[in-house]
Amino acid sequence: MKKHWAVVLPLLVVGCMPEDKDGDGIADGVRDPDTVSVVAPANPKGTVSGQVLNTRMEPLADATVKLTIGSATAEKPFETTSDASGNFLLTNVPAGAEVLVTISKEGHATLRASALVPSHAGNIPINNGNANIGAVSLAETKSSVSFSLLTPSGYPARGAKAYIEAVPAGTIAFNGGSATAVSSVVVSAEADSMGIVTFSNVPSPAELARIGGVGEAAGGYRLWVDPVDSNGDGLLDAGGYAKKIDASTLVVSGGSQMLRLPAPRNDAGGSETAGFQLVATNVPSLHYVKLPDGDANKPAMELQKKPLRNLLRPGEPIYLGFSQPVARESLLALVADEYGREKFDVIVTPSAAGDVYTLMPPASIREGQEYNIILRATSAYDGTVRTWKGYFISGDSRTPRPLQLASAVYKDGATGTVGTLDPGECIIISFSQVVVFSPTLLDTIVTTGEASPPSFKATPAAPPSTNPCFTGESPTKYPIDSTNFNEATTRFVFTYSGTAINLTTNTVKVKADFTKFQSADLSTYYESAWGSPVSSGTSLEAPLGKL
């Protein structure tokens, strides 16, 4: 007779689920994971750990360690302190999170570093993802460093505003591999009456020297000094300063160093623009910098003297930029006419720093005319006195003016009849603007209306002229740089050799004729102040008067 066994199955009670209070993914009371099905936790967790030391590798207890994970710290901050051995541990950190670790302690620099909690946290074994940032070293900030700041002239840079960054003020080791974390101390200070600037609550040179590293990675101080105006006169006594000073240098020197601040602009030697120079102006004929130019037939300095390069629009000031500040009220500016006989007043305005000036010529200057300019200035930095000479043409390059014959006069000689144009007497013609002349002499005609009047060759007569026609001419009252006039002038002259003409009974005209020679050879063309060639069809005339 067969026996039948009854199999009793345990009942599954719906609603009585096992508890997991510790969040490890295993029901409470289960000792052997092999007896259960393993399920990864829904929110895997990890840890962040490390050790805090000073620069002497001694543990720092009670250092505050904070984690920043997005905005989570606002509601549930991750924060702890290091123990007596300097160790710290933060738990329940979300796996895969990139955290910012901030480590601080009173009297020490603050260090910040990022760490990544492994994303495998929560897998077997459970909650084992650890970001160990290793050993962290913080420098003490209980010392001070001083620097003696001097202006280029040797005076104390009193009142100088300075800033220092002690960097790196801490180091960090990632799992045995060393790396520099973000750790620096920034302090500002102001120099006293002796130019001494002292920064308090910073790491000592010895502290930073122990940080180690070479070159830019070595422990040291980045020092910034604002430009200095010691007496508040608006002129800079020294330029700004920015340089890193290695801590090891200060250890050797006893913790202080004298620094000579640079000049406000350029005071270095060995270059063409070294020392006290005029380095920028809208009047290039002032000898300031040789500009490169594509015209191989003319040197750059000669090209800078071309009238077109020196056009100054009516109402526009002359701008002057110097390599060093100019001593207060030392800039002299003289503007005279083309012949150095008439002086024009200019308004001189300095910038606050004293290295940029504007000169405003009077409204009475005329377009197309040439004006001499002479500058004299003293360097506020080293007392150097320099003079610059040049010229400018009044006119706007956008609106060229046509060339006109402004006047024609003769100079009654000591012999001959008064009021009569006699042979051997000089005739001077003046144009409405400066003319850049060519090697070919200008044809001029003196006529009373006859069919075939005599023709003469006029030569340029820019001052100072050695032409005998100007013997006894009133001398220049103001200095003229003759090199300015090697290319252009408004005045031409020739000696009359025709029959005598009585100007009382005859109307005499003088004609400047550009038609006879320019059409065949482009090199013979004359040029206006605006850089335009005088057309080969140009013939200008004016009545002859007496000088």
Side-chain angles (χ1 to χ4, degrees):
M1 182 176 191
K2 293 183 179 179
K3 293 183 179 181
H4 298 277
W5 298 90
V7 179
V8 180
L9 297 177
L11 294 177
L12 176 64
V13 180
V14 178
C16 297
M17 300 296 293
E19 290 186 290
D20 179 16
K21 293 182 178 180
D22 56 6
D24 63 357
I26 303 174
D28 295 340
V30 176
R31 303 298 179 186
D32 186 358
D34 291 336
T35 63
V36 298
S37 297
V38 178
V39 179
N43 297 304
K45 307 293 184 179
T47 58
V48 176
S49 62
Q51 184 182 31
V52 186
L53 308 170
N54 60 24
T55 60
R56 296 179 294 277
M57 298 297 106
E58 298 168 344
L60 282 180
D62 300 321
T64 300
V65 182
K66 294 181 181 181
L67 297 189
T68 301
I69 313 173
S71 60
T73 53
E75 301 174 0
K76 216 172 174 183
F78 292 90
E79 183 174 335
T80 188
T81 57
S82 59
D83 61 19
S85 298
N87 297 315
F88 66 87
L89 176 67
L90 289 157
T91 60
N92 291 322
V93 182
E98 185 172 349
V99 298
L100 174 65
V101 186
T102 302
I103 304 174
S104 60
K105 182 175 173 62
E106 182 71 23
H108 292 75
T110 297
L111 183 141
R112 295 174 179 84
S114 60
L116 180 64
V117 179
S119 59
H120 62 261
N123 295 328
I124 296 297
I126 302 303
N127 286 352
N128 68 333
N130 173 251
N132 186 348
I133 65 174
V136 173
S137 175
L138 302 182
E140 290 186 355
T141 56
K142 300 176 181 178
S143 299
S144 63
V145 292
S146 298
F147 299 92
S148 297
L149 305 180
L150 300 179
T151 68
S153 301
Y155 289 99
R158 56 180 176 273
K161 292 180 174 57
Y163 310 84
I164 198 172
E165 180 186 20
V167 61
T171 58
I172 188 169
F174 288 98
N175 297 326
S178 62
T180 301
V182 179
S183 179
S184 62
V185 178
V186 180
V187 177
S188 62
E190 186 172 310
D192 62 17
S193 61
M194 295 301 295
I196 299 174
V197 58
T198 301
F199 302 95
S200 302
N201 300 320
V202 296
S204 69
E207 281 280 297
L208 294 186
R210 283 194 292 269
I211 294 292
V214 294
E216 281 299 311
Y221 305 91
R222 290 195 182 102
L223 177 64
W224 292 271
V225 183
D226 289 344
V228 180
D229 176 12
S230 297
N231 55 9
D233 61 358
L235 296 181
L236 295 178
D237 301 298
Y241 181 94
K243 189 176 180 181
K244 184 178 179 182
I245 302 168
D246 286 347
S248 57
T249 302
L250 293 179
V251 171
V252 175
S253 66
S256 183
Q257 191 173 27
M258 184 182 72
L259 300 175
R260 179 177 178 268
L261 301 179
R265 295 289 290 272
N266 173 29
D267 71 330
S271 66
E272 193 170 16
T273 59
F276 186 39
Q277 297 285 339
L278 180 63
V279 295
T281 177
N282 55 340
V283 180
S285 65
L286 292 163
H287 311 284
Y288 71 106
V289 175
K290 289 184 178 180
L291 298 176
D293 203 287
D295 191 340
N297 298 319
K298 288 187 176 183
M301 188 58 73
E302 184 177 348
L303 288 165
Q304 285 193 153
K305 291 182 176 294
K306 289 181 68 68
L308 180 62
R309 285 183 178 244
N310 293 276
L311 283 179
L312 187 72
R313 293 192 299 271
E316 178 186 17
I318 297 171
Y319 296 99
L320 306 171
F322 297 92
S323 61
Q324 298 169 7
V326 176
R328 181 183 289 270
E329 298 185 359
S330 73
L331 179 67
L332 297 177
L334 186 151
V335 173
D337 66 351
E338 180 183 357
Y339 311 108
R341 293 196 293 258
E342 182 182 3
K343 177 177 174 293
F344 296 88
D345 293 327
V346 294
I347 300 173
V348 179
T349 305
S351 67
D355 56 354
V356 176
Y357 278 73
T358 59
L359 310 179
M360 180 60 73
S364 58
I365 62 175
R366 294 180 294 138
E367 281 195 293
Q369 298 298 300
E370 180 179 297
Y371 296 90
N372 295 288
I373 178 171
I374 302 175
L375 305 175
R376 179 189 182 277
T378 302
S379 166
Y381 163 53
D382 61 7
T384 299
V385 179
R386 291 210 58 190
T387 300
W388 296 267
K389 295 181 180 180
Y391 77 97
F392 65 91
I393 309 293
S394 176
D396 192 333
S397 59
R398 299 169 297 183
T399 54
R401 303 301 186 193
L403 183 66
Q404 296 177 342
L405 190 59
S407 66
V409 296
Y410 80 99
K411 186 177 182 180
D412 230 347
T415 60
T417 305
V418 176
T420 298
L421 176 61
D422 296 307
E425 293 181 333
C426 298
I427 294 180
I428 303 166
I429 62 174
S430 299
F431 291 99
S432 60
Q433 59 183 269
V434 294
V435 176
V436 180
F437 45 84
S438 80
T440 304
L441 298 180
L442 179 62
D443 284 318
T444 52
I445 299 169
V446 178
T447 178
T448 57
E450 64 270 37
S452 301
S455 178
F456 307 91
K457 297 292 185 180
T459 59
S465 179
T466 57
N467 191 297
C469 289
F470 297 98
T471 302
E473 184 180 59
S474 59
T476 59
K477 295 180 181 179
Y478 307 101
I480 291 178
D481 183 2
S482 60
T483 61
N484 289 342
F485 306 98
N486 59 1
E487 192 171 76
T489 184
T490 59
R491 187 168 68 168
F492 290 73
V493 64
F494 64 94
T495 301
Y496 180 70
S497 59
T499 58
I501 303 175
N502 188 327
L503 270 69
T504 303
T505 57
N506 293 278
T507 299
V508 182
K509 292 184 179 181
V510 177
K511 180 183 295 184
D513 192 357
F514 295 87
T515 64
K516 293 186 178 180
F517 58 88
Q518 295 194 136
S519 59
D521 187 355
L522 296 180
S523 66
T524 63
Y525 275 69
Y526 282 53
E527 186 179 296
S528 74
W530 277 261
S532 305
V534 179
S535 169
S536 59
T538 302
S539 183
L540 306 172
E541 66 177 21
L544 180 66
K546 183 178 179 182
L547 181 64

